[in-house]
Amino acid sequence: MWQITDHLNWEAMRARFSWIRDMEGVLQDPIYHAEGDVAIHTQMVLEALLALEAFQVLDTQEQQVLIAAALLHDVEKRSTTQVDKDGRISSPGHAKKGEYTARQILFQDIVTPFHLREQVAKLVRYHGLPLWVFEKRDPLQFLLKASVEVDTRLLAILARADVLGRVCDDQADLLYSLDIFEEYCKEQQCFGQAYPFPSALSRFTYFQQEGGGSPLYAPYEDTWEEVILLAGLPGMGKDTYTAKHFPGWPVVSLDHLRRKFNITPRDQKGNGQMIQLALEEARGYLRRQQPFVWNATNITRNNRSRLISLFSSYKAKVRIVYIEAPFATWQKQNLQRDYAVPLLVMDKMLKKLEIPSLAEAHEVTIVL
C-alpha cells in the first residue's frame, strides 16, 4: 500500500514537508474562508475528510489517495494568491498549477506508483469542479472530460471535505450543490467511472467538438490505422521504444532534423523551420495513408492537440504513446545520452508536464 505519509500528526507533516509550511500565512478571502490561512484550512479539510462516512467505507488505498489529495489540493495558493484593489483575495489558476506541483512532488520526492500519482494530481486539478461545473459553457462536456481523467466518486468526497473544512456563511448551499453534482454524475452514468462512450471514435469525435454534439453519437468508422504520437520528457527512452516496437516504420523526429541541420534548441527561427519540415514530411505520409511515428516530447496538451487535429483531418486514427521511467532512472538515462539535456531545462519541462488523456486521442498507451 502506498501512502504519502505514515503519520497524520500535523506538526510531524509540517516538519517533513516544506510545501505544508509554505501554506502558513497564505491569505484567503474571509467571505469564503473565515477560518484563516491555507494551512489552517488544509488541516481542517483533512480532519473533515477522515470523519466522513463516505471516506471511512473506502478501501485503504483509496483513502490514502484522498489523504494525499486533501493535503495537496491548495498547495499552489502559495504562488497564485493575489489581493485586488478592493481588498478581495483570490487564487486564480491554483488548481491547475497544483496539479503540476502534485505530480512533480509524487514523481521526484515521494516515489509513487504512476496510476496513484495521477489520481492524486487529477483530484487536485478538479477539486473545485463539483461546485462550479454548471457555470461552464457546456457543463456536460466538461463533466464527461473530467470523468475520463478522475474518479468522480472520490472527487465528490474530496469536495465535500473541502467545504466542511472551512468557515463560511453559505456552507449549506455549497453542500447542496455537491448533492446535485453527485446526482448529475449518476444521471450521466459517470459517477465513479468514465462515461461509457459507444466507441473510441465516438469519444474522440465528441471531445473534438467544442460546445456541441452528443456523447451518444456513433460516427461511421472511416479511419485508417495508425499514427503514433510519442510523448514523454527527454531521456525517457522514446527512441529505444520506437526502434523496438515500430521497426521499419517511418519516423518523423524533430531531434533528428535539428541535428541534421545543426539547429540548436535556442534557435527559434531554425526550430520553426524544422517544425515546418517535419509537418510537410508528415503530410506526405498522411496523404498516402501510411502509418508513421511522430517522435518528439509533446509534453503539453496544446502541443499534442495541434498535431492530433492535423492527423485526424486526414482520417488517421491517432494513438498517443506516453513513456515514463522512474525519476532516478530518467536522470541517469539523460546523462548517458549523446545529447544530454541540461538539468535546469529538464526541471522546467517536468513542471509543465501534462499526462495524455483519453479525451485527446482515439487511444492512449502508457509505457512505464
Side-chain angles (χ1 to χ4, degrees), residues 13-26:
M13 291 188 294
R14 180 186 177 279
R16 180 180 177 186
F17 300 127
S18 62
W19 43 270
I20 285 184
R21 298 193 297 274
D22 288 344
M23 298 175 186
E24 297 171 359
V26 179

Side-chain angles (χ1 to χ4, degrees), residues 23-45 73-78 80-83 87-91 94 127 162 165-168:
M23 298 175 186
E24 297 171 359
V26 179
L27 301 176
Q28 300 185 109
D29 195 317
I31 294 177
Y32 305 109
H33 290 279
E35 70 276 5
D37 64 21
V38 176
I40 293 172
H41 168 61
T42 302
Q43 188 173 5
M44 291 175 64
V45 169
H73 80 285
D74 279 347
V75 67
E76 282 306 334
K77 280 188 174 180
R78 62 184 179 181
T80 60
T81 295
Q82 58 190 32
V83 183
R88 297 299 301 276
I89 302 169
S90 62
S91 305
H94 77 276
H127 74 266
D162 190 16
R166 68 177 75 182
V167 177
C168 59

Side-chain angles (χ1 to χ4, degrees), residues 32 35 169 199 241-242 347:
Y32 305 109
E35 70 276 5
D169 292 336
S199 67
Y241 183 86
T242 300
D347 183 65

Side-chain angles (χ1 to χ4, degrees), residues 198-206 209 214 216-222:
S199 67
L201 180 59
S202 173
R203 183 190 65 239
F204 176 76
T205 302
Y206 177 68
Q209 302 176 39
S214 166
L216 298 175
Y217 173 60
Y220 175 68
E221 294 275 356
D222 60 350

Side-chain angles (χ1 to χ4, degrees), residues 48-58 157:
L49 177 68
L50 298 176
L52 284 172
E53 181 180 354
F55 171 84
Q56 293 169 0
V57 299
L58 296 173
I157 296 172

Side-chain angles (χ1 to χ4, degrees), residues 140 143-144 183-191 195-196 215:
L140 178 59
L143 174 66
L144 300 192
E183 291 305 314
Y184 187 49
C185 289
K186 292 173 183 176
E187 179 183 287
Q188 301 302 329
Q189 305 176 67
C190 64
F191 188 63
Y195 178 81

Side-chain angles (χ1 to χ4, degrees), residues 78-282:
R78 62 184 179 181
S79 65
T80 60
T81 295
Q82 58 190 32
V83 183
D84 67 18
K85 62 181 180 180
D86 298 320
R88 297 299 301 276
I89 302 169
S90 62
S91 305
H94 77 276
K96 181 177 181 179
K97 191 171 181 182
E99 175 194 356
Y100 302 152
T101 298
R103 179 173 294 118
Q104 182 178 11
I105 289 171
L106 300 181
F107 175 60
Q108 180 174 330
D109 302 328
I110 304 170
V111 178
T112 306
F114 176 87
H115 69 289
L116 298 179
R117 182 193 81 201
E118 289 308 306
Q119 283 188 57
V120 174
K122 288 302 182 181
L123 285 167
V124 171
R125 173 65 173 267
Y126 288 114
H127 74 266
L129 172 69
L131 294 178
W132 48 255
V133 64
F134 294 108
E135 298 177 12
K136 305 298 289 186
R137 184 172 64 176
D138 188 342
L140 178 59
Q141 188 177 66
F142 203 89
L143 174 66
L144 300 192
K145 174 180 175 292
S147 80
V148 302
E149 296 185 2
V150 69
D151 186 327
T152 54
R153 176 178 55 103
L154 299 183
L155 183 63
I157 296 172
L158 176 62
R160 194 168 296 274
D162 190 16
V163 170
L164 292 171
R166 68 177 75 182
V167 177
C168 59
D169 292 336
D170 62 345
Q171 189 177 74
D173 293 336
L174 295 177
L175 292 172
Y176 179 65
S177 296
L178 296 182
D179 292 337
I180 294 176
F181 172 78
E182 290 189 18
E183 291 305 314
Y184 187 49
C185 289
K186 292 173 183 176
E187 179 183 287
Q188 301 302 329
Q189 305 176 67
C190 64
F191 188 63
Q193 66 176 23
Y195 178 81
F197 286 93
S199 67
L201 180 59
S202 173
R203 183 190 65 239
F204 176 76
T205 302
Y206 177 68
F207 287 126
Q208 291 297 302
Q209 302 176 39
E210 184 175 345
S214 166
L216 298 175
Y217 173 60
Y220 175 68
E221 294 275 356
D222 60 350
T223 56
W224 53 272
E225 302 279 352
E226 170 182 49
V227 175
I228 303 297
L229 178 66
L230 293 184
L233 293 160
M236 284 295 187
K238 296 185 292 296
D239 290 347
T240 301
Y241 183 86
T242 300
K244 180 178 179 180
H245 293 275
F246 303 103
W249 281 44
V251 177
V252 179
S253 171
L254 292 178
D255 280 347
H256 292 170
L257 285 171
R258 292 188 190 101
R259 293 163 194 161
K260 179 179 178 180
F261 292 96
N262 294 317
I263 301 298
T264 65
R266 295 183 178 180
D267 183 347
Q268 294 185 356
K269 181 179 179 181
N271 276 282
Q273 293 172 339
M274 295 305 99
I275 291 173
Q276 292 306 312
L277 285 176
L279 290 172
E280 189 52 43
E281 185 179 352

